[in-house]
Amino acid sequence: MPNSKDITIVGAGLVGALLATLLAQRGFAVTVYERRPDPRVAGYAGGRSINLALAERGLHGLRLAGMTDTIMELAVMMRGRMVHHRDGRTELLRYGRDDSEVIWSVSRGRLNIALIDEAAKAGARFVFDRRLAGAKFGDGAALRFEDEAGETHDIRVPFAIGADGAGSALRAAMNAESPLGERIEPLGHGYKELEIPSLTNMPESALVPDEASALSRGEVFAIEPHALHIWPRGNYMCIALPNAEGSFTVTLFLPGEGDPSFATIDSPAAARALFERDFADALPLIPDLDKDFAENPVGVLATLYLDHWHLGGNALLVGDAAHAIVPFHGQGMNCGFEDAVELADLFAADSGDAAAVFAEFERRRRPNAAAIAAMALENYVEMRDSVADPAFLLRRELGRVLAQRHPDRFMPRYSMVTFTRMPYAQALARGAAQEQLLRELTAGKTRVDEIDLEGADRAVQRRIEPLAS
Ligand SMILES: Cc1cc2nc3c(=O)[nH]c(=O)nc-3n(C[C@H](O)[C@H](O)[C@H](O)COP(=O)(O)OP(=O)(O)OC[C@H]3O[C@@H](n4cnc5c(N)ncnc54)[C@H](O)[C@@H]3O)c2cc1C
């Protein structure tokens, strides 16, 4: 049975749909079961963030699927972080060296629909309105689905791949069969989405004179479109990512307890007072703050750790179902797309032994998923706090200088994660060695020109291994 070219995927989200595309393009007979209705017919029924940052790892998967042109048409380039200080000053911290090192904001719904379209074009079969309700394993997988009317549909398949997201039903069934070593660590902070409308949709009363004249010139973005905006405020922050049609999705991240937190900021009036105090330049841009705050739920954030991702050759987890992470490196989907590429390659090279494919997939991907989980947690502190910290900014500046002087050895960790496909675990280890060096070189200093760069050069040569070409 494991020799079968039939592959069953649960979940037609971002990772499930890309995996279906890559496998169908390689000649596998793929069937995907999805609990939601077909978004191509019913419209995309959101859930998580409205837009996401796409970086090199994700782009690579889309490239292999032949989808870059389609997706780039939907994407907005983000050159760096636009930091909004309390006093209203803004400052662009570039992500990379130039416009060849940028990230892209894409609509989750449009990306998901494009992926489903592509997978269907390649021959994958989608069965919508099928919620996995339970599974039993042993010489294959027996899956029970429920449709919206509550009717059950049972199937038996050689194996099932769970791409059903952080709350995976397949994972729950696998865990019941044989414990996977599941640990879910809540971040203790949540998020709420708000919106800066495009200038064309901004109520006239909310337009300031600059915006009114920008609109008359045909511009649609109320703030710089080619940046990921951040309002870092210590223990909490707001961010905003551009959408292709001119709006921005704003995400307010707050702790669950303390002040301010979602416990104290629990009404539109409290949110307005918080924005007046801490995000004063953003407030006039969010005309529907009260409504958005009242209607949009508080999203929870957590990291999922598992000791095992597969049950022999009967079932395997991929994407968020295996390794949901916090969103602060913008890598959850990017990492899941790497999963899809790796798994499709393994299936294509497979000798027919599903258990061996799943074990090899877990061996290759699990250390990397753990590394990006750790880096994503660290990045929350960097985004909400460090980007306003002079010592951090000095280390960052020196890091850029060293990267220019030693392009063969020194690369900022953000760049390794975002602009390369170096395994995450390697980026984590190299980043730790570089950070230690930067801390030593900047100790007691306030400016780069106070640092002995020739001594720094020698230290880089001695302590940082050459990058693989
Ligand atoms: C606020 C926020 C911002 C983020 N920003 C970024 C970013 O900028 N960049 C980035 O790379 N990542 C980002 N992420 C992470 C990204 O959203 C996830 O990593 C990505 O969605 C994982 O894809 P997936 O296909 O594994 O899971 P999902 O996208 O969750 O898809 C799971 C699919 O399975 C279906 N499903 C669920 N249960 C069942 C069931 N029982 N039966 C059948 N189908 C089922 C769901 O309907 C869904 O279609 C962010 C996440 C959050 C929460």
Side-chain angles (χ1 to χ4, degrees):
M1 261 215 291
N3 276 320
S4 169
K5 283 213 134 197
D6 291 349
I7 294 184
T8 304
I9 300 174
V10 181
L14 299 174
V15 176
L18 178 64
L19 179 62
T21 307
L22 295 173
L23 288 169
Q25 287 173 344
R26 284 164 165 83
F28 290 90
V30 183
T31 307
V32 189
Y33 294 87
E34 164 60 46
R35 74 173 168 195
R36 293 186 185 142
D38 187 344
R40 296 168 298 180
V41 180
Y44 186 74
R48 323 195 83 197
S49 68
I50 287 162
N51 53 21
L52 330 92
L54 178 64
E56 176 53 27
R57 292 165 201 270
L59 273 170
H60 177 68
L62 296 173
R63 237 178 253 131
L64 292 179
M67 293 185 66
T68 10
D69 289 350
T70 316
I71 302 306
M72 286 328 245
E73 267 175 34
L74 312 173
V76 183
M77 178 173 56
M78 298 187 290
R79 295 193 168 97
R81 294 173 180 158
M82 183 70 80
V83 179
H84 294 246
H85 295 282
R86 275 182 192 277
D87 60 7
R89 256 181 326 118
T90 56
E91 167 182 28
L92 180 72
L93 302 181
R94 254 198 183 272
Y95 285 130
R97 283 174 291 207
D98 52 38
D99 281 358
S100 67
E101 294 185 334
V102 295
I103 55 175
W104 301 89
S105 177
V106 283
S107 145
R108 180 187 291 271
R110 287 192 193 168
L111 177 58
N112 208 155
I113 288 174
L115 284 163
I116 290 172
D117 264 340
E118 199 65 31
K121 219 162 70 187
R125 191 170 75 91
F126 285 87
V127 189
F128 292 99
D129 185 21
R130 290 288 183 281
R131 184 181 66 81
L132 182 73
K136 294 259 183 265
F137 308 93
D139 194 23
L143 307 177
R144 166 156 293 187
F145 294 96
E146 266 181 22
D147 63 22
E148 219 187 330
E151 247 179 72
T152 57
H153 306 259
D154 293 328
I155 60 167
R156 274 203 72 85
V157 290
F159 55 77
I161 298 176
D164 50 346
S168 169
L170 190 69
R171 186 177 77 235
M174 289 163 67
N175 202 34
E177 177 95 13
S178 166
L180 301 174
E182 177 182 288
R183 277 174 301 127
I184 296 172
E185 282 181 11
L187 179 67
H189 292 229
Y191 70 95
K192 194 178 273 258
E193 290 190 324
L194 309 165
E195 192 196 34
I196 296 176
S198 72
L199 290 178
T200 42
N201 288 331
M202 191 76 86
E204 221 167 293
S205 57
L207 286 175
V208 298
D210 273 2
E211 290 167 353
S213 62
L215 184 57
S216 68
R217 290 194 302 275
E219 292 172 21
V220 291
F221 291 96
I223 49 177
E224 167 59 43
H226 296 298
L228 189 157
H229 293 261
I230 307 191
W231 290 258
R233 296 296 182 259
N235 196 30
Y236 53 99
M237 67 174 183
C238 258
I239 64 169
L241 271 71
N243 295 308
E245 86 288 353
S247 64
F248 289 79
T249 303
V250 178
T251 313
L252 169 67
F253 293 95
L254 285 178
E257 288 173 6
D259 191 22
S261 69
F262 281 117
T264 59
I265 309 301
D266 57 353
S267 66
R272 186 164 284 281
L274 176 75
F275 271 75
E276 274 165 5
R277 190 188 75 188
D278 287 335
F279 308 112
D281 62 333
L283 182 56
L285 304 170
I286 311 175
D288 287 335
L289 176 74
D290 295 6
K291 184 170 161 282
D292 288 351
F293 196 89
E295 289 178 2
N296 295 347
V298 175
V300 294
L301 297 169
T303 307
L304 163 71
Y305 302 93
L306 295 177
D307 293 337
H308 309 288
W309 288 2
H310 71 110
L311 275 189
N314 295 331
L316 171 73
L317 299 169
V318 296
D320 274 19
H323 49 72
I325 60 177
V326 296
F328 304 109
H329 223 307
Q331 284 290 317
M333 164 192 65
N334 286 285
C335 178
F337 280 7
E338 274 196 332
D339 283 1
V341 170
E342 189 88 63
L343 186 58
D345 283 350
L346 284 167
F347 268 120
D350 169 33
S351 57
D353 182 352
V357 167
F358 296 171
E360 181 58 14
F361 174 78
E362 181 183 314
R363 191 189 68 76
R364 292 189 190 178
R365 294 300 298 157
R366 215 162 65 82
N368 290 311
I372 189 57
M375 292 189 281
L377 283 164
E378 286 175 24
N379 229 40
Y380 187 30
V381 179
E382 178 171 322
M383 286 175 86
R384 67 182 204 222
D385 204 1
S386 311
V387 285
D389 168 14
F392 167 81
L393 292 173
L394 178 62
R395 289 198 298 280
R396 186 177 182 279
E397 198 186 336
L398 178 61
R400 293 187 152 236
V401 170
L402 294 181
Q404 263 169 11
R405 291 166 81 95
H406 303 276
D408 55 331
R409 281 176 196 263
F410 200 104
M411 187 183 285
R413 187 175 87 179
Y414 185 88
S415 299
M416 294 189 266
V417 169
T418 310
F419 307 129
T420 79
R421 291 188 288 115
M422 173 191 301
Y424 287 121
Q426 232 180 67
L428 178 66
R430 292 187 70 94
Q434 293 181 165
E435 177 68 12
Q436 177 61 28
L437 183 61
L438 291 175
R439 282 181 185 270
E440 290 169 24
L441 293 169
T442 55
K445 307 282 195 297
T446 53
R447 295 195 319 268
V448 166
D449 60 16
E450 295 168 17
I451 294 164
D452 164 19
L453 286 182
E454 280 165 16
D457 288 342
R458 285 192 296 278
V460 170
Q461 296 285 349
R462 210 173 50 244
R463 289 168 51 179
I464 309 294
E465 292 290 315
L467 288 156
S469 58

